[in-house]
Amino acid sequence: MEMPVYQTPRWGNIGLMMLEKVKVFVFDAGKIIVAISIILWALASFSPGNKFEEVEKKYEEKLLRDPEQAAMLRQNLSSEKLENSYAAALGKTIEPIISPLGFDWKIGIALVTSFAAREVFVGTMATLYGVGDSENTLSIREKMAMETDPLTGEKTYSFATCFSLIIFYAFAMQCMSTLAIVFRETKHWKWPLIQLAYMSGLAYISSFMVYQ
């Protein structure tokens, strides 16, 4: 086989190629991220029935009794409202399945939304941790680091949870467009479904082993 002629690359060509790749990502993945973030914001900002009103009434009474703790109470109010939202209802439905992997309901929502594109995971977590918290100046990373399990008091995002999540995404078929392309090439749903089942199963078992 004849070897190609190696030459010093032209920086102008490299710059144009980088610009094109960035534009493709921003306009393709970016549109999906924005659309899903808007839907998530709506799900996290509303609740079934009058649950939000009940939570607000409870914290209004606490604020009147203890105004010195206003900042902490407002933060707790935002967290409790999120836990009573439509988004939380969706996440808590699948939480029993993913809890053996060290994942909570918030990660569960992000796993579902990132099936459109795995880049959506970050946007989902940012939306969930940013809803109703305009006064707090902490970054999403700092908020996640401070998150604790209300039952055990342990950190939600422990060392084991982080590695479990990395392993899950290393193997999982979290890409709707890939399945669509496999279907288009094979003209059948057999291989896309096998691919989805095999890779999701491998991801779940691997993640389970790492966390446990």
Side-chain angles (χ1 to χ4, degrees), residues 8-27:
T8 305
R10 293 179 181 177
W11 293 107
N13 291 350
I14 291 172
L16 284 171
M17 186 177 288
M18 287 170 64
L19 186 63
E20 286 298 317
K21 297 291 183 185
V22 169
K23 279 171 65 179
V24 167
F25 177 81
V26 169
F27 287 104

Side-chain angles (χ1 to χ4, degrees), residues 57-75:
K57 188 177 178 182
K58 184 176 82 173
Y59 277 90
E60 278 174 14
E61 293 169 359
K62 288 184 178 181
L63 281 165
L64 289 171
R65 288 198 307 267
D66 195 2
E68 293 178 3
Q69 300 293 325
M72 188 184 74
L73 288 170
R74 285 197 187 95
Q75 189 175 342

Side-chain angles (χ1 to χ4, degrees), residues 13-182:
N13 291 350
I14 291 172
L16 284 171
M17 186 177 288
M18 287 170 64
L19 186 63
E20 286 298 317
K21 297 291 183 185
V22 169
K23 279 171 65 179
V24 167
F25 177 81
V26 169
F27 287 104
D28 289 357
K31 284 186 285 188
I32 297 169
I33 291 168
V34 170
I36 289 175
S37 295
I38 291 168
I39 294 166
L40 268 178
W41 173 84
L43 290 173
S45 299
F46 298 95
S47 68
N50 61 342
K51 288 184 178 180
F52 274 12
E53 288 80 0
E54 290 172 5
V55 173
E56 284 172 358
K57 188 177 178 182
K58 184 176 82 173
Y59 277 90
E60 278 174 14
E61 293 169 359
K62 288 184 178 181
L63 281 165
L64 289 171
R65 288 198 307 267
D66 195 2
E68 293 178 3
Q69 300 293 325
M72 188 184 74
L73 288 170
R74 285 197 187 95
Q75 189 175 342
N76 292 342
L77 169 63
S78 297
S79 297
E80 197 162 330
K81 282 178 76 175
L82 181 59
E83 287 184 21
N84 285 279
S85 65
Y86 285 109
L90 169 66
K92 287 175 181 177
T93 303
I94 62 172
E95 191 173 33
I97 302 168
I98 59 173
S99 58
L101 311 183
F103 305 158
D104 66 348
W105 62 269
K106 290 178 183 175
I107 295 180
I109 295 171
L111 291 177
V112 172
T113 57
S114 64
F115 190 75
R118 61 181 61 207
E119 299 85 16
V120 176
F121 182 90
V122 178
T124 300
M125 297 304 283
T127 303
L128 291 173
Y129 278 94
V131 171
D133 199 13
S134 56
E135 295 179 10
N136 200 325
T137 56
L138 293 175
S139 67
I140 301 302
R141 183 176 179 177
E142 288 169 329
K143 288 178 186 176
M144 290 174 71
M146 291 167 61
E147 184 90 352
T148 55
D149 189 320
L151 298 174
T152 62
E154 295 178 359
K155 285 193 172 184
T156 303
Y157 303 102
S158 64
F159 189 76
T161 300
C162 295
F163 264 88
S164 175
L165 190 61
I166 289 169
I167 293 298
F168 185 88
Y169 272 101
F171 294 115
M173 173 51 71
Q174 292 292 103
C175 189
M176 199 181 293
S177 57
T178 301
L179 291 175
I181 289 167
V182 173

Side-chain angles (χ1 to χ4, degrees), residues 179-193:
L179 291 175
I181 289 167
V182 173
F183 171 73
R184 188 186 68 188
E185 294 298 320
T186 61
K187 305 290 191 298
H188 204 280
W189 280 109
K190 176 187 172 184
W191 287 109
L193 292 175

